């Protein structure tokens, strides 16, 4: 019995898993789920992008508005309205964006002002790296917290919610505790957390649940993806994989989520080999049909998990 079969039999049943993978997402759950647009950087046309997202079964897009993204920051006034219009044409939403925002500067204000005018209410920030050549980690954390407060003030001005992701590695927020301490005094509706169970599991292992409860009052969006540990060239690292084939304890995670009754956007990410799409490639090395099938498979499975968990 492999890992996916084990999870299938203990969580939703092996027969049901087969049905899940064949069903359309709309048959499984009414929960709205969006997709990180990094997967579609090979599509330049917004209408084609909307058509592709609709064909997979997502409710809309978590749009990249950053250097190299679907909307470049310097062209936000020209291109963001075009993207939103194209998606509305297909009755799809763009409720959140992925940005590289780290400062409350003029460019950030332009992005927020335009996003709010188009009904986009959420965005993810970039990440602050710790300088490990210095031993003043606590002081660096406080300095990052001051930047968060300035950005939160700008968010309040425009009525938009920023989110900082707990990205694993030597980043502020990876450990959850530092992010939580610096969010003190900031309204969650101004700036909160994009909680990522994948990165939380990588950083905290079996103790991720304590960090989740700590940051829960600040959670404003949720990212979904899986991984396992692999060793290459004598070094251990993360390897993305389809949902249910990795080390994330999805059954436990959904049980922990349920009492909070979160009403926040859910964004699905794909970080396993999919013809380069997982890395934001401009050209695929697999067919579009193969990519769409793989993405549908994970989406359908996750929607069924939500149904089984009564979420």
């Amino acid at each position: 019995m492999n890992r996916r079969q084990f999870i299938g039999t203990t969580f939703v049943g092996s027969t049901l898993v087969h049905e899940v993978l064949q069903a359309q997402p709309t048959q499984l759950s009414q929960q709205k789920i969006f997709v990180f647009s990094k997967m579609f950087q090979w599509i330049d046309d917004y209408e084609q992008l909307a058509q592709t997202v609709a064909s997979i079964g997502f409710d809309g897009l978590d749009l990249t508005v950053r250097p190299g993204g679907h909307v470049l920051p310097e062209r936000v006034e020209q291109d963001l309205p075009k993207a939103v219009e194209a998606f509305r044409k297909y009755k799809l939403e763009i409720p959140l964006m992925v940005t590289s925002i780290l400062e409350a500067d003029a460019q950030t204000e332009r992005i927020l002002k335009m996003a709010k005018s188009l009904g986009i209410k959420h965005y993810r920030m970039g990440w602050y790296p710790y300088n490990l050549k210095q031993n003043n980690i606590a002081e660096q954390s406080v300095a990052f917290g001051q930047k968060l407060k300035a950005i939160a003030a700008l968010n309040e001005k425009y009525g938009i919610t920023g989110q900082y992701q707990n990205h694993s590695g030597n980043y502020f927020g990876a450990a959850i505790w530092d992010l939580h301490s610096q969010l003190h005094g900031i309204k969650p509706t101004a700036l909160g957390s994009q909680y990522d169970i994948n990165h939380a599991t990588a950083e905290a292992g079996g103790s991720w649940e304590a960090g989740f409860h700590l940051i829960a009052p600040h959670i404003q969006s949720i990212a979904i993806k899986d991984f396992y540990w692999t060793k290459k060239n004598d070094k251990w690292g993360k390897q993305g994989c389809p949902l249910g084939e990795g080390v994330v304890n999805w059954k436990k995670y959904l049980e922990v989520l349920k009492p909070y009754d979160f009403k926040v956007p859910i964004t699905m990410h794909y970080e396993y080999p999919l013809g380069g799409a997982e890395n934001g490639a401009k050209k695929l090395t697999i067919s579009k049909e193969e990519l769409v099938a793989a993405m549908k498979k994970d989406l359908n499975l996750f929607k069924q998990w939500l149904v089984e968990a009564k979420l």
Side-chain angles (χ1 to χ4, degrees), residues 8-247:
T9 54
T10 57
F11 193 9
V12 296
S14 58
T15 302
L16 186 54
V17 167
H18 176 74
E19 294 173 358
V20 168
L21 301 183
Q22 300 302 317
Q24 293 296 316
T26 53
Q27 294 175 298
L28 302 173
S29 173
Q30 297 304 310
Q31 175 70 51
K32 289 186 177 181
I33 301 177
F34 307 94
V35 61
F36 185 19
S37 80
K38 178 182 176 181
M39 291 297 300
F40 305 103
Q41 295 293 164
W42 49 278
I43 302 177
D44 293 324
D45 180 76
Y46 295 134
E47 185 155 333
Q48 183 187 352
L49 178 59
Q51 289 175 342
T52 304
V53 170
S55 72
I56 297 172
F58 288 103
D59 296 287
L61 197 65
D62 183 5
L63 179 66
T64 49
V65 182
R66 63 185 185 183
H70 279 107
V71 174
L72 301 179
E74 62 270 21
R75 286 190 53 83
V76 67
E77 290 92 352
Q78 294 83 10
D79 293 343
L80 190 55
K82 295 177 183 177
V84 171
E85 181 182 2
F87 272 70
R88 285 176 178 168
K89 180 178 178 180
Y90 289 86
K91 301 187 185 308
L92 298 174
E93 303 174 40
I94 300 181
L96 66 168
M97 309 177 297
V98 175
T99 73
S100 57
I101 289 173
L102 290 172
E103 302 281 350
D105 55 22
Q107 179 169 271
T108 293
E109 189 159 10
R110 288 177 46 241
I111 293 171
L112 302 187
K113 183 178 181 180
M114 180 52 61
K116 177 60 178 178
S117 73
L118 295 168
I120 299 173
K121 299 179 180 179
H122 300 262
Y123 75 93
R124 191 185 86 191
M125 299 174 52
W127 308 292
Y128 297 115
Y130 280 117
N131 184 345
L132 300 184
K133 293 183 179 180
Q134 300 177 7
N135 60 6
N136 61 339
I137 297 300
E139 293 178 16
Q140 291 183 52
S141 176
V142 171
F144 296 144
Q146 293 304 309
K147 292 178 182 291
L148 293 182
K149 288 180 173 62
I151 293 171
L154 204 54
N155 292 341
E156 284 200 86
K157 176 180 177 180
Y158 290 103
I160 192 169
T161 303
Q163 286 118 57
Y164 190 94
Q165 182 191 27
N166 55 302
H167 197 291
S168 58
N170 294 313
Y171 294 103
F172 167 75
I176 295 290
W177 297 86
D178 52 354
L179 176 60
H180 171 264
S181 65
Q182 298 307 325
L183 288 176
H184 180 72
I186 297 177
K187 294 179 181 178
T189 52
L191 198 153
S193 163
Q194 178 172 106
Y195 186 78
D196 191 315
I197 183 61
N198 174 303
H199 290 299
T201 300
E203 286 293 328
S207 66
W208 64 264
E209 190 176 350
F212 174 86
H213 289 300
L214 184 69
I215 204 68
H218 302 278
I219 292 176
Q220 296 296 317
S221 63
I222 293 170
I224 301 298
K225 56 182 179 283
D226 210 341
F227 82 100
Y228 59 85
W229 294 108
T230 184
K231 192 174 186 180
K232 295 179 180 178
N233 299 322
D234 294 325
K235 293 183 179 180
W236 286 96
K238 290 177 65 183
Q239 172 61 57
C241 63
L243 290 188
E245 294 185 10
V247 300

